Amino acid sequence: VRTAASVSTGTQLGNWSVAPPYFNTTSFDPTTGVFTVPATGRYSIAATISYSTTATLTGIFGGDPAFVVRNITTGDDLIVGLFPILNIELALGVGLRAILGNGTVTITGEVELNENDEIALFYVNDGLTISINLGGADAPIVWSIHRIS
């Protein structure tokens, strides 16, 4: 679990807590947020990330910000969860595109991983220039990886 943090650029999420009721294995480094795959196999990955914006958007936004579970070893994005985006067509063909002021992104999937692959959770801002708060006391960020075969 990870408590509140403010970010304004894309970053790897670190500084996790594994205090009860959450748990840790020797394969996870809570400081860096890196999970090192202990054995080749099929893994189930899940993450729930709540966010809120720290400012009102003042212009048209053109990117696709997301949370990504990435295999650092290969550089592959394994699972991607896009932010909810509001697209509105205004009068005279003017469009408005913005992320919601707060929300929760949930990502899940099953992937094949190799022993010693390093996996981490990232925030990818993709053109979003305002700061956002991730997690919080009532809505911490939670992610997990479990070997299923």
Side-chain angles (χ1 to χ4, degrees), residues 25-115:
T25 69
T26 57
S27 299
F28 182 69
D29 180 339
T31 302
T32 63
V34 173
F35 174 79
T36 302
V37 177
T40 298
R42 188 174 182 176
Y43 287 78
S44 173
I45 301 174
T48 303
I49 309 105
S50 294
Y51 75 90
S52 61
T53 59
T54 61
T56 303
L57 293 176
T58 58
I60 296 173
F61 162 69
D64 287 313
F67 294 103
V68 175
V69 176
R70 182 173 293 150
N71 185 329
I72 299 168
T73 305
T74 64
D76 295 331
D77 290 345
L78 302 174
I79 306 170
V80 177
L82 296 173
F83 277 63
I85 298 205
L86 181 63
N87 290 303
I88 298 175
E89 181 76 26
L90 302 173
L92 304 173
V94 175
L96 171 68
R97 187 169 192 272
I99 66 168
L100 300 181
N102 62 45
T104 300
V105 176
T106 302
I107 53 179
T108 62
E110 294 179 4
V111 295
E112 292 285 336
L113 298 172
N114 295 312
E115 184 176 3

